[in-house]
Amino acid sequence: MERFVIAILVENQPGILTRVASMFNRRGFNIDTLTVSETENHEYSRITISLTGDDGICHQIIKQLKKLYNVKEVKVMEREKSVYRELALIKLQNKPETRQEILSAVDIFRSKIVDFSPNTLCVEITGETSKIEAFIALVAPLGILEMCRTGVVALERGCSYLNSEIAFGNK
Amino acid sequence: MILSGAEIIVETLIEQGAKTVFGYPGGQVINLYDALYEYSDRIEHILTAHEQGAAHAADGYARASGEVGVVIATSGPGATNLVTGLATAYLDSVPLVAITGNVPNSLIGRDSFQEVDITGVTLPITKHNFLVKSVDKLADTIREAFAIAKSGRPGPVLVDVPKDVQIAKFEYTACPVVEKKAQKLAKDEKITRAAEMIAAAEKPYIYFGGGAVTANVSEELCTLADKIDAPIGCTMMGLSAVPVSHPRYLGMEGMHGHYASSVAQDEADLIITVGARFSDRATGNVAKYARKAKIIHIDADGAELNKNVSVALGMECNIKDALQRLLAVVPEKHHPDWNARIAELKALESEQFERVTAKDRITPYALIQEVAKYAQADTPIVTDVGQHQMWVAQYYPFQNSRTFISSGGLGTMGFGLGAAIGSAKATGKKTILFTGDGSFGMNLNELATVTAENIPVVIVIMNNQVLGMVRQWQTLFFEKHYSNTDLHTRKTDFVKLADAFGMKGYRVTDLLEMPSVIEQAFAENAPVLIDVAIHQDEFVLPMLPPGGCIEDIITERSGE
């Protein structure tokens, strides 16, 4: 079992996220994370899905995605050729006895405090999934009150593009 | 010209080649039906008894003709009644366009009267669907729906049109019939590779499915079989694409396939698969399926390659083009040993058949042979779902492609009568429906349509007073616990029922009188129903138990 990150370029239309998510559900494929947003061209949205599976499942998912009418491009964001990022907001207990430990962890992980109240503080951390998970493991014993993660977003490095029109210089 | 949305729908349907559409009116399509009234000299509308019947009729129309079938329903319950019909068409890759009305845009999302999110409901059972929110998009959306429905691997497309869009006016300009979207052509190296694999094979087996019917490659398949000296087998959905009388044809394989066809597939060292999807009913246990064979898989849908079984060579392409190019490069081959083995298997199959088929009562086989005497090569043969369907699949002597009309993937009981109406309308031919008392009971309301429209259909009910297929499983795998499969307590008199709907009904209970009754029934120049008594414990044989493999094949009933 391997982790795959798949980028999908879709027409920016109502219902398209449902169509994509429904395909995963119907075929019994599990989604680990999913993010969606408009792209540089407002006619298209980009969906990034991360999932765990074998090569066969990944190929099947890509082929099924390509059959969806509003899907324009589908591509695996290969680990070594892409930048992966995820953002997490983590709300922790703000107690004098643990505060220093949290502040050093924040410093070491190059994250930042984005909210501070008498009883709570909130950390924003960005990075690859492994970094975020390491941070969470570190601060978990100090009392996580609430947290929220975006899921993976990914772009290929250099002159590789998801949109083949850009890739072939048609734009 | 400036037209209302409703008129634009009808103009676009006519423009895209729809001659006959099926449907049922209602509050949110009343404008559309007003337009159909206005255009009744240019397009025929068949009113069914129920929207499900209309969906199956449009499906039967599409299967029999190869054209896109069209069905119309109102919002809410009208639209949800299409669901089984759409799912049936989706699983069997049938090109269909469904037009539904919906509440006006202003009322959408307010749980208005007869409002349902039909694009949401049908999302997993359509190839695509549209909600048309403004009239300026209407004609192009319907055109796109036709293009999607018939391109590549065909399928149903639903277009939901709110009432205000049907009322709004917009400019309409006629367009030509939309073309099918071009399919990929197989790469040369793949054709070469396929030819090499065929050249190296000692026991090749050609295996086709419904994709071969869609791609219209009957001739190519037979020529290939002759050139490489291979037997031909098929899935249920492939039936009728190759004539049963073809000397190389072994028939359907799989759960209720012909013995020789299933065993030959198991013994083959190369399976050349054309437009089939390796469904569980065709393969049994995939881990034990065709263990000795390499598989070449040629299909219009790339997602089918390596989906259910791993293949040595997968080709997502235009099937007809690929077969023609393959034919040009494949070497001529002779396999006398393999042919001798095939002949042996066929002899074994005949022996088994002789052993298990009764001669002293009306058997499904005898009935099918008798009925077939009155059919032509192009007579549509429609079935419902269950034992009778398998018997027809096994024994009917199909000659022309597109003459077997049956629900394969979804296995929809109640499909037959609607589909027979559609097939008869599409072909203008007297159509034969084989059904069972269980299946027929599901949608027999469409007899009203049959008589109202004087549809030339001969309905043959194989009446065993049980849900025979489930009963067969209960006999074999559930210690004869006949839970809810015995219909003897029903008091339905199908002959009187036919009479009540305004058609002639016949009953056959005796083997000796069967030929004369069938002769009389076929002599009628009107729709007719024949209720034929079949023994309740007649089995469909052979049978590969679900999840089983070729070693588990059941060829006769054990002593009881």
Side-chain angles (χ1 to χ4, degrees), chain B residues 443-478:
Chain B
N443 280 330
L444 54 77
N445 51 359
E446 294 306 336
L447 286 178
T449 314
V450 167
T451 47
E453 299 288 339
N454 198 25
I455 307 282
V457 55
V458 178
I459 301 164
V460 182
I461 305 177
M462 295 196 198
N463 188 349
N464 53 7
Q465 293 195 281
V466 291
L467 299 177
M469 186 58 95
V470 182
R471 184 183 171 90
Q472 178 170 337
W473 285 47
Q474 289 170 332
T475 304
L476 290 169
F477 314 123
F478 290 88

Side-chain angles (χ1 to χ4, degrees), chain B residues 6 9-11 13-14 18 20-26 28-37 43-59 69-75 77-82 86 96-102 142 146 157-161 166:
Chain B
I9 294 172
V10 180
E11 280 281 2
L13 291 176
I14 295 169
T20 303
V21 300
F22 304 86
Y24 205 100
Q28 305 305 336
V29 284
I30 198 161
N31 297 81
L32 179 52
Y33 273 80
D34 194 53
L36 283 166
Y37 180 85
I43 187 164
E44 180 187 30
H45 177 274
I46 303 290
L47 172 67
T48 56
H50 186 285
E51 288 90 351
Q52 187 185 347
H56 293 323
D59 179 320
V70 177
V71 58
I72 300 171
T74 191
S75 65
T80 55
N81 279 344
L82 297 180
L86 291 171
L96 216 63
V97 169
I99 311 272
T100 49
N102 208 337
I142 293 170
F146 272 83
V157 181
L158 181 136
V159 183
D160 195 25
V161 190
Q166 296 172 43

Side-chain angles (χ1 to χ4, degrees), chain A residues 53-144:
Chain A
D54 58 28
D55 260 350
I57 287 176
C58 187
H59 282 135
Q60 181 60 212
I61 286 172
I62 289 170
K63 287 189 285 191
Q64 293 292 353
L65 284 169
K66 284 183 173 170
K67 279 166 67 172
L68 296 177
Y69 177 72
N70 304 102
V71 168
K72 190 173 160 62
E73 308 274 356
V74 185
K75 204 169 178 184
V76 173
M77 299 286 102
E78 286 177 44
R79 180 72 197 77
E80 60 281 9
K81 293 180 187 163
S82 313
V83 179
Y84 288 1
R85 283 296 178 272
E86 187 178 349
L87 182 144
L89 294 174
I90 303 163
K91 192 185 285 182
L92 297 158
Q93 285 178 352
N94 185 3
K95 292 187 288 196
E97 58 271 31
T98 55
R99 188 177 303 139
Q100 198 46 52
E101 202 176 331
I102 292 171
L103 291 176
S104 348
V106 165
D107 190 42
I108 292 161
F109 278 81
R110 283 185 286 169
S111 51
K112 56 186 174 185
I113 309 282
V114 290
D115 184 53
F116 198 93
S117 76
N119 299 317
T120 68
L121 58 82
C122 181
V123 180
E124 173 198 308
I125 177 164
T126 338
E128 294 216 5
T129 305
S130 55
K131 173 182 164 187
I132 289 171
E133 281 175 357
F135 182 80
I136 290 168
L138 186 66
V139 297
L142 310 179
I144 297 177

Side-chain angles (χ1 to χ4, degrees), chain B residues 490-521:
Chain B
R490 288 189 179 176
K491 305 285 187 285
T492 316
D493 180 329
F494 289 112
V495 175
K496 281 187 186 161
L497 182 85
D499 187 47
F501 276 98
M503 64 195 283
K504 196 81 184 275
Y506 292 87
R507 178 170 291 121
V508 188
T509 52
D510 181 71
L511 179 63
L512 294 176
E513 70 186 23
M514 180 175 77
S516 65
V517 178
I518 289 174
E519 187 183 2
Q520 280 177 59

